Amino acid sequence: MVDSDTAPRHIRSIVIAGGGTAGWMAAVALSRTIAPHRCAITLIESETIGTIGVGEATIPPILSFNQIIGLGEAEFVQATKATFKLGIEFAGWRNRGHRYFHPFGRYGNDFAGTNFHQHWLRAQSLGDTTPFGDFSLNEKAAYSGKMGKLDSDPRSVFSTFSYAYHFDAALYAQHLRSMAEQRGVVRREGLIEDVVLNGESGHIEGLRLDDGGLVEGDLFIDCTGLRSLLLGEALGVPFVDWTHYLPCNRALAVPTDSIDLDRPYTRSTAHEAGWQWRIPLQHRMGNGMVYSAAFWSDDQAHDALMANLEGKPLADPRPIRFTTGRRAQSWAKNCVAIGLSAGFLEPLESTSIHLIQIAVAKLLNWFPDLDFDPMTMGEFNRQIINEYDRIRDFLVLHYHANARHDDAFWRHCATQPIPDTLAEKIAMFRRTGRLLSRESDLFQDASWLAVMLGQGIMPHGHDPLTESLRPTDLDKLLRGMRQLIAKAADAMPTQRTHLAQMGQAPRQMALG
Ligand SMILES: Cc1cc2nc3c(=O)[nH]c(=O)nc-3n(C[C@H](O)[C@H](O)[C@H](O)COP(=O)(O)OP(=O)(O)OC[C@H]3O[C@@H](n4cnc5c(N)ncnc54)[C@H](O)[C@@H]3O)c2cc1C
C-alpha cells in the first residue's frame, strides 16, 4: 500500500504561455509523452501579439526531434516548404573577399589511431596545400547543389554526411499545433494581462486573460518570447547580458521572391557592422541583417540589406530588437522558460530552435511532481546554463578571430575580452592543433575546426603520433580519401531531384 503522506503528488495540469515555435514544440513533445487523462495541457496565445516570425534555419538534431514527435520527413518537408541545409557559408568574416564553409558532418576519417585533422595538419607542414574543405562530403555536396542520404555504417563515406533544414517557421508552428491538438492539447486564444502569484510560496497560481478568465495550473511553461512574461517579469529572474561578448542587438528581416535550390546551405555575409543571412526555402528566400546599434544606424543597416538582396522584397523589412544573453535560471518556482523567454544568443549558428528542443528534452528528463524538488530544478538549471555557455563560446569565436581591421565594429570584436573557456580552447588549438572538449558542447570537433581554420587560426604544431606514418603513405591516404569524397559528392542527386523524389514541386520546378 502506498502511504498517502509520502506518495508523489503528480502534476495534473500544465499551462504553456505562448504559441510560437517554442510553445508548440513544447506542446507536441509533452503531449507525446504525458497521457491527456493524467495531465491536462493548455496553451494560451494571442493573435494580437503574434510570434517573432523568424527562425528558419536549423541544425541536424532537429531530425531526431521530428522523429520523436512522430513527424515523418516527407510530411514535414511538404508542410513547412523546407529545403535541406548542409552547412553555413561564411563570406567576408575573416576578411573581405574570403569565404569558408562550416559543414555539418565530419571531415575525412580518423586513421592510425589519430584524429584526421592532425594528419592533415602534418601534411600541410610538409607542403601539401589541399584545402581542409576537400575532405568534407557536406561541403563538396553543398557547393554542387547536391543532397544525399544518411548512412550510419562507419565503413561508408556517407557516415560522414549530415544535414538539417531550412523551413517556414510559421508553417512549422501551424503543423505542430494541429499535431498537438489531435493529442488533446487545448488552445486558448487570449492576451495574458496578469500573472497571479501565491502570496506564500511565490508560485504561479494562474494567468489572468483579457476576457477576465483565470487559467490555473500546476506547472507553467513560459514561451512568451523575448518578453519572458512569467519567468522574467513575474518571477523576477534576472537576465545575464552578454552584449560585451556578442555586440549585435538588432535585426531587420525581409523575405524575397527568389528561389535557389542549387545552394542547399545558409549564407552569412559579414558587413561593416553586422552580418546578413540568406536562407533559401522552397517558395521564397528568407533574408535579414543582424547588426550592432552602437556601430550602425537603423538606416545604414536597412540600406545595406536592401542593396544586397536577391529577388524582389515581399514585404517591408521588419525591425527586431534583442539583447544577447540568458536568464540566470530557466526554472524557478513552478515555471520553466523555454525558447526566447529563456535566452537568445543571436541567430549566427541557428541554435535557438535547438535550445528549445534541448530544454523540452531536459524538462522531460527532470519532470517534477508537485513538491518541485530543489535538487531536480538545480540540476536542470545547471545543464541548461552549460548549453548556453558552450554555444556562446562558439559564436564569440566567429566575431573575435577576424582580420577586418578597417571596420570599427570588427576591431571592437577582435579586441574585446572573450570568455576564459574560449581563450583556453583557442590557445590549445593554436599550440597543438588539439581541441579541448567540454560538457554539453553542442558543436563537435568538426564545427570548431571549420570555424577556427576558417577564421584564420592555424595551429603551430600537430600530434606527434602522426609522425609514425611515412610521408608517401600519408600522401597516398589523403589523396585516396579526397578522391572518394569527390566521387561520392558527384554521385549524389541534386537537391532539386531529391525534393522531386520526395514528391515536392517547389515553385521554380513547377513553373518548369
Ligand atoms: C533575427 C532573428 C533570427 C533568428 N533566426 C533563427 C534561426 O535561423 N534559427 C533558429 O533556430 N532560431 C532563430 N531565431 C530564434 C527563433 O526565432 C526563436 O527561437 C523561435 O522563433 C522561438 O520563439 P519563441 O516561440 O520563443 O517566441 P515567439 O515566436 O516570440 O512567440 C511568443 C509567443 O508568446 C505569445 N505571447 C507573448 N506575450 C503574450 C501575452 N501577454 N499573452 C498571450 N500570449 C503572449 C505570442 O503571441 C507568441 O505566440 C532567430 C531570432 C531572431 C531575433
Side-chain angles (χ1 to χ4, degrees):
M1 268 231 338
V2 180
D3 177 349
S4 61
D5 286 345
T6 54
R9 300 180 312 123
H10 294 299
I11 301 280
R12 299 273 179 219
S13 61
I14 300 174
V15 178
I16 300 172
T21 309
W24 286 114
M25 279 176 77
V28 173
L30 291 172
S31 64
R32 173 96 186 161
T33 315
I34 304 169
H37 67 274
R38 287 188 59 82
C39 177
I41 303 177
T42 308
L43 183 145
I44 305 166
E45 64 180 323
S46 161
E47 271 166 18
T48 51
I49 291 188
T51 64
I52 194 153
V54 277
E56 300 182 324
T58 58
I59 54 175
I62 186 79
L63 271 72
S64 47
F65 181 80
N66 284 346
Q67 210 174 24
I68 288 164
I69 62 167
L71 177 53
E73 184 166 77
E75 181 186 343
F76 164 79
V77 167
Q78 175 156 25
T80 65
K81 305 254 187 257
T83 61
F84 294 94
K85 175 180 172 188
L86 305 190
I88 307 179
E89 179 183 72
F90 289 96
W93 275 79
R94 186 200 298 190
N95 49 45
R96 284 165 203 263
H98 179 265
R99 71 170 191 183
Y100 69 93
F101 197 77
H102 167 197
F104 299 142
R106 295 196 320 270
Y107 289 95
N109 250 340
D110 297 347
F111 56 91
T114 313
N115 289 336
F116 169 76
H117 78 273
Q118 294 285 0
H119 294 288
W120 178 83
L121 286 173
R122 176 173 172 233
Q124 296 280 303
S125 74
L126 293 170
D128 189 348
T129 55
T130 311
F132 197 46
D134 279 13
F135 297 96
S136 160
L137 180 52
N138 270 67
E139 179 167 334
K140 295 307 262 183
Y143 281 144
S144 355
K146 301 292 186 75
M147 173 57 200
K149 291 211 168 84
L150 304 176
D151 187 341
S152 56
D153 181 348
R155 291 164 305 179
S156 161
V157 65
F158 285 96
S159 66
T160 66
F161 182 72
S162 186
Y163 66 86
Y165 309 105
H166 304 117
F167 63 70
D168 184 316
L171 294 178
Y172 189 48
Q174 253 173 46
H175 198 73
L176 295 181
R177 173 181 163 184
S178 72
M179 290 176 78
E181 286 182 324
Q182 274 166 32
R183 289 176 194 160
V185 174
V186 174
R187 174 187 180 275
R188 197 145 164 195
E189 171 65 32
L191 187 71
I192 301 162
E193 287 193 329
D194 191 24
V195 179
V196 181
L197 301 182
N198 181 291
E200 258 174 52
S201 66
H203 280 219
I204 299 175
E205 286 185 342
L207 304 178
R208 177 83 57 199
L209 304 190
D210 53 349
D211 63 5
L214 179 71
V215 183
E216 292 174 302
D218 295 330
L219 174 66
F220 289 80
I221 318 264
D222 184 350
C223 297
T224 59
L226 292 170
R227 192 170 157 198
S228 194
L229 193 61
L230 279 58
L231 189 89
E233 285 191 16
L235 297 181
V237 173
F239 188 77
V240 180
D241 186 334
W242 282 337
T243 309
H244 53 294
Y245 290 138
L246 294 165
C248 290
N249 54 4
R250 290 199 186 172
L252 288 167
V254 63
T256 51
D257 66 356
S258 140
I259 310 273
D260 183 0
L261 297 178
D262 297 327
R263 283 178 277 185
Y265 54 87
T266 303
R267 183 191 289 150
S268 162
T269 306
H271 287 274
E272 283 79 359
W275 61 276
Q276 179 177 351
W277 80 77
R278 175 192 182 278
I279 298 178
L281 306 180
Q282 284 187 38
H283 57 312
R284 62 169 168 79
M285 187 76 72
N287 309 275
M289 185 72 81
V290 175
Y291 59 101
S292 162
F295 292 86
W296 243 4
S297 70
D298 295 340
D299 285 346
Q300 282 175 303
H302 176 275
D303 293 350
L305 174 63
M306 298 313 272
N308 287 286
L309 286 180
E310 285 172 30
K312 224 171 66 220
L314 298 171
D316 287 333
R318 208 161 44 80
I320 302 167
R321 291 181 176 207
F322 59 85
T323 308
T324 42
R326 59 161 170 77
R327 294 279 152 194
Q329 305 141 250
S330 284
W331 186 344
K333 310 283 183 187
N334 60 340
C335 173
V336 179
I338 294 181
L340 295 172
S341 56
F344 182 50
L345 290 178
E346 83 139 82
L348 186 56
E349 284 281 355
S350 328
T351 43
S352 289
I353 293 170
H354 175 75
L355 283 164
I356 296 171
Q357 178 179 344
I358 285 286
V360 172
K362 289 195 187 297
L363 174 60
L364 287 168
N365 267 348
W366 298 99
F367 200 76
D369 57 32
L370 286 175
D371 291 331
F372 290 99
D373 170 48
M375 263 181 92
T376 303
M377 291 161 60
E379 183 56 22
F380 174 92
N381 283 327
R382 191 189 71 77
Q383 292 186 8
I384 295 284
I385 285 171
N386 257 336
E387 295 283 342
Y388 275 87
D389 291 6
R390 295 290 72 78
I391 293 174
R392 174 205 63 196
D393 285 5
F394 188 55
L395 300 188
V396 174
L397 171 67
H398 298 64
Y399 284 97
H400 170 72
N402 83 79
R404 291 184 59 125
H405 306 305
D406 295 343
D407 299 308
F409 169 79
W410 292 100
R411 277 201 307 277
H412 169 84
C413 294
T415 50
Q416 276 293 100
I418 59 174
D420 291 346
T421 38
L422 174 60
E424 282 163 19
K425 192 147 182 158
I426 293 176
M428 174 66 89
F429 184 68
R430 217 187 274 283
R431 280 216 285 272
T432 68
R434 291 194 166 101
L435 287 162
L436 291 170
S437 55
R438 291 199 163 82
E439 186 194 348
S440 306
D441 227 337
L442 162 67
F443 290 99
Q444 300 292 301
D445 284 3
S447 296
W448 282 94
L449 286 167
V451 179
M452 291 267 199
L453 295 169
Q455 293 291 142
I457 302 175
M458 189 65 183
H460 304 313
H462 55 263
D463 187 336
L465 293 183
T466 57
E467 305 283 346
S468 34
L469 214 61
R470 285 202 307 252
T472 46
D473 292 337
L474 173 65
D475 185 53
K476 208 166 133 200
L477 267 162
L478 290 182
R479 218 163 346 113
M481 212 175 272
R482 187 180 173 201
Q483 280 163 2
L484 182 70
I485 287 166
K487 227 166 110 187
D490 271 352
M492 287 160 84
T494 61
Q495 168 170 237
R496 222 172 261 279
T497 307
H498 190 80
L499 282 168
Q501 282 166 353
M502 293 179 80
Q504 297 306 299
R507 191 151 60 83
Q508 196 172 332
M509 291 164 70
L511 295 174

